[in-house]
């Protein structure tokens, strides 16, 4: 919200960016850049990875974010198949040639909360 001047909701930021709003574009690019930096740091510390997983609201629903994040770090060996990377997809969205798989895994916060409550009751 502070950078885009539009909203803290990525759907609104993307819509404003697609409408040509400069501040929304800057906010989006900063967001993607920071995700790429975090992934790069983890890949360096872990000496690689088997997969990169997108989850939760933006990770599950924003195909554009997934595409832009991965395209900026493809030299690590990850690549997204545009035909698989669509809204509502779950599972592997990588190309066949990708060395690091790219996955979309839905969250189930309600199940996690229910399990935690049951565990804490004991």
């Amino acid at each position: 919200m502070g950078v885009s001047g539009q909203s803290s909701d990525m759907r609104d930021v993307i819509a404003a960016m697609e409408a040509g709003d400069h501040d929304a574009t800057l906010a989006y690019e900063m967001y993607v850049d920071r995700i790429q930096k975090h992934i790069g740091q983890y890949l360096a510390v872990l000496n690689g990875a088997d997969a990169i997983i997108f989850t939760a609201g933006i990770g599950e629903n924003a195909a554009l974010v997934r595409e832009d994040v991965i395209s900026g770090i493809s030299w690590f060996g990850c690549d997204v198949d545009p035909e698989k990377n669509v809204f509502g997809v779950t599972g592997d969205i990588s190309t066949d040639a990708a060395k690091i798989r790219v996955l979309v895994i839905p969250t189930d916060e309600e199940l996690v909360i229910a399990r935690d409550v049951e565990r804490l009751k004991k």
Side-chain angles (χ1 to χ4, degrees), residues 31-55 59 65-80 100-103:
Y31 181 80
V32 168
D33 178 71
R34 289 185 178 155
I35 294 171
Q36 290 169 333
K37 286 177 181 172
H38 280 14
I39 292 171
Q41 289 171 343
Y42 277 105
L43 290 174
V45 170
L46 296 171
N47 197 28
D50 296 324
I52 296 171
I53 299 172
F54 288 91
T55 192
V65 172
R66 295 188 302 256
E67 175 187 339
D68 288 344
V69 167
I70 297 302
S71 69
I73 59 171
S74 62
W75 60 274
F76 282 116
C78 48
D79 195 22
V80 170
I100 297 176
R101 308 315 298 164
V102 180
L103 308 171

Side-chain angles (χ1 to χ4, degrees), residues 28 52 54 58-71 79-95 102-105:
Y28 178 83
I52 296 171
F54 288 91
I58 297 170
E60 288 178 47
N61 299 305
L64 179 64
V65 172
R66 295 188 302 256
E67 175 187 339
D68 288 344
V69 167
I70 297 302
S71 69
D79 195 22
V80 170
D81 182 335
E83 291 183 16
K84 295 178 185 175
N85 184 32
V86 295
F87 178 81
V89 69
T90 60
D92 193 336
I93 61 169
S94 308
T95 62
V102 180
L103 308 171
V104 178
I105 307 294

Side-chain angles (χ1 to χ4, degrees), residues 1-9 12-13 16-17 21 23-24:
M1 172 69 168
V3 176
S4 74
Q6 298 289 325
S7 172
S8 60
D9 188 315
D12 297 334
V13 173
M17 177 183 74
D21 185 279
D23 292 338

Side-chain angles (χ1 to χ4, degrees), residues 18-31:
E18 290 173 343
D21 185 279
H22 177 268
D23 292 338
T25 300
L26 177 61
Y28 178 83
E29 289 174 353
M30 289 173 62
Y31 181 80

